[in-house]
Amino acid sequence: MTSTPAKNTVALSQQLAWTARMLHAVEQGRSLADALPTVPAALRPGVQALTFHALRHWGQATVVLQLLAQRAPPLLVRALLGVALTLLCTPATPGAQPDYAPHTVVDQAVAALAALKVPRAQAGFVNGCLRRFLRERPELEAQAAQDAVARWNHPFWWVQRVRRDHPQHWQAVLAANNQAAPMTLRVNRRHVARDAYLAQLQAEGYTATPVGEDGVVLARAVPVERLPGWAQGHASVQDAAAQLAAPLLLQGAALPARARVLDACAAPGGKTAHLLEYADLDVLALDVDPVRCTRIHDNLQRLGLQAQVRAADAALPAQWWDGRAFDAILLDAPCTASGIVRRHPDVRWLRRPDDIAQLAAQQARLLQALWPLLKPGGRLLYCTCSVFKAEGEQQVAAFVARHAAEAKVLPAPGHLLPGGAVPLDGINDNAAGGLDGFFYALLQKAPLA
């Protein structure tokens, strides 16, 4: 993030007001993906950067605010104070702090109240809270650090769950979630070799390193339209962990020509596209949301790929299946998204503890519904972008126990933890910033006797 705004940039007070609206929306259960488009286009990049920063430090800010204010202020005022405190608090990670002078943050936060249309009497309260924080910062931060929510910037139940599921790595997982994820590309091998594309990037002044079979990690994020060959479909944005799906499902599989493959929960189409880049396949891509199906179409069109795309609920095959079995199935199941908090910092504050059980039940229904659609000898790759074991190894163990006679577990990575908390040979070794959190299980149906 940049330093204090220059003369010709948008006033910080305007950005703070809109950031407060974003934080208020999240606290009301609305996702940033839904809320951010309401921000005026000229303000959106700065507001998104401030909002991401605030969400990564929201636990600390809210605990400090509780110490500063005996009575809870109005919700928008609380959100504004929280945003300002995330700019004033000492970050756990050096270099993670936007460079605004403390007096500027205080003054601009007070000025932001006018845009939020809250009573003018709140100006003194906001000013007083922030100035008291600056006077007593070491004591207040030390006191807040005794609270796990402030220390780890996650809900307490989330901290407990990660600690239980990954007792050797829970601290690394939580710390990784508070870092910005790198921008990773998947090179379209049908258009250009990965190393050739890497050379193009470097020739145009981009610092980048290879990862996996088709991936490239950029040292700094850039607008996609500036990437060489973007409009021609030479590359897509996709984390290295997600790029494992296509090779896991297809490598070593005895697939017929033009094998029939189902991508069961396909939107926005990244894994669908990678499957088609990887091999000549007859792919059916499903998603329950018709709007998201449009995104699949758009992504495939840019990449020069074709698949049958249908809006349908994968858990209800009677409504869409034509009775022809699939040679392979990819089930990227709906989940808590607890593995991609680096990219979606609102997720941790939107989720509730009972979401895990509800989503695990949905995952189980999908596995049960799709398994009969797989040919004998075929493969099903189950994956989630979650670090919670209930959505990963526990889910698969329960499924295999129900289908012990016909389901064989093939080698797969299992749980990948965000930011390289646990290195994965051949992937994390050269993935700057590590991978997103993912789970992979590869199941094979027993062939006919």
Side-chain angles (χ1 to χ4, degrees):
M1 206 172 298
T2 60
S3 299
T4 303
K7 292 181 180 180
N8 294 327
T9 61
V10 175
L12 178 59
S13 61
Q14 294 184 48
Q15 296 186 61
L16 289 174
W18 275 103
T19 302
R21 292 186 182 102
M22 297 300 100
L23 269 294
H24 176 60
V26 170
E27 293 206 305
Q28 298 300 303
R30 189 177 178 189
S31 74
L32 277 186
D34 180 45
L36 276 170
T38 66
V39 179
L43 293 173
R44 200 172 301 152
V47 169
Q48 177 171 319
L50 282 172
T51 303
F52 274 40
H53 173 82
L55 288 167
R56 290 177 177 133
H57 301 84
W58 197 240
Q60 182 186 31
T62 54
V63 172
V64 168
L65 183 54
Q66 290 171 3
L67 298 173
L68 287 170
Q70 293 183 345
R71 290 188 298 179
L75 293 178
L76 270 176
V77 175
R78 179 181 182 274
L80 176 64
L81 274 169
V83 171
L85 286 168
T86 65
L87 297 176
L88 295 173
C89 286
T90 304
T93 304
Q97 185 82 331
D99 187 17
Y100 295 110
H103 72 274
T104 299
V105 173
V106 175
D107 291 346
Q108 292 294 294
V110 173
L113 289 167
L116 293 175
K117 298 181 180 178
V118 297
R120 295 185 62 182
Q122 294 295 327
F125 173 73
V126 170
N127 184 66
C129 281
L130 296 179
R131 293 193 181 279
R132 180 189 163 198
F133 172 76
L134 292 176
R135 291 194 306 270
E136 303 175 21
R137 177 160 57 185
E139 296 86 353
L140 289 167
E141 289 184 338
Q143 191 174 348
Q146 303 305 309
D147 189 305
V149 174
R151 183 177 180 185
W152 298 108
N153 287 296
H154 288 72
F156 183 62
W157 70 266
W158 191 300
V159 175
Q160 288 181 306
R161 190 89 183 205
V162 174
R163 188 171 187 172
R164 187 186 74 187
D165 283 358
H166 305 285
Q168 302 300 314
H169 307 289
W170 67 277
Q171 294 172 312
V173 170
L174 296 174
N177 284 349
N178 291 325
Q179 308 302 311
M183 184 175 183
T184 306
L185 308 178
R186 184 191 73 247
V187 180
N188 186 347
R189 56 170 60 196
R190 288 187 178 271
H191 289 192
V192 60
R194 192 268 304 278
D195 290 346
Y197 190 75
L198 187 62
Q200 290 180 40
L201 288 170
Q202 293 170 341
E204 296 194 21
Y206 297 109
T207 301
T209 55
V211 59
E213 292 188 32
D214 297 315
V216 172
V217 182
L218 297 177
R220 301 181 69 176
V222 299
V224 293
E225 60 271 11
R226 296 183 189 174
L227 294 170
W230 176 263
Q232 293 74 36
H234 290 185
S236 301
V237 177
Q238 188 181 46
D239 186 76
Q243 292 184 38
L244 294 174
L248 278 170
L249 183 60
L250 301 177
Q251 281 182 0
L255 296 175
R258 294 283 297 170
R260 183 168 160 80
V261 177
L262 171 66
D263 188 351
C265 303
K271 295 182 184 66
T272 303
H274 198 193
L275 289 167
L276 291 164
E277 291 168 4
Y278 215 86
D280 292 323
L281 304 168
D282 177 10
V283 174
L284 171 60
L286 296 182
D287 198 86
V288 70
D289 186 344
V291 175
R292 286 167 60 82
C293 284
T294 300
R295 291 188 62 191
I296 302 174
H297 278 293
D298 292 344
N299 286 330
L300 294 178
Q301 184 177 18
R302 183 181 65 83
L303 296 167
L305 303 168
Q306 290 187 334
Q308 182 185 0
V309 180
R310 290 192 61 179
D313 186 344
L316 301 173
Q319 298 181 1
W320 55 266
W321 187 42
D322 62 6
R324 294 184 296 149
F326 293 96
D327 298 290
I329 296 175
L330 170 60
L331 173 54
D332 184 5
C335 70
T336 57
S338 57
I340 55 174
V341 174
R342 300 187 305 168
R343 301 183 188 279
H344 302 278
D346 54 332
V347 165
R348 73 191 95 177
W349 307 115
L350 290 169
R351 288 295 180 200
R352 298 295 179 263
D354 57 1
D355 289 345
I356 300 174
Q358 293 175 9
L359 286 159
Q362 184 179 1
Q363 294 152 12
R365 286 195 298 272
L366 284 162
L367 279 166
Q368 286 295 116
L370 296 176
W371 186 250
L373 280 56
L374 184 65
K375 286 183 180 178
R379 291 178 169 188
L380 184 150
L381 181 65
Y382 170 82
C383 60
T384 62
C385 53
S386 174
V387 299
F388 297 141
K389 288 193 174 182
E391 301 181 280
E393 61 185 53
Q394 293 172 5
Q395 180 73 259
V396 171
F399 177 81
V400 172
R402 293 192 299 269
H403 298 270
E406 58 174 349
K408 177 183 178 181
V409 180
L410 300 179
H415 273 290
L416 306 174
L417 299 182
V422 179
L424 177 69
D425 291 342
I427 297 293
N428 278 18
D429 291 345
N430 60 350
L435 308 178
D436 285 347
F438 251 83
F439 175 82
Y440 283 106
L442 185 59
L443 306 174
Q444 185 173 42
K445 181 179 279 191
L448 293 174

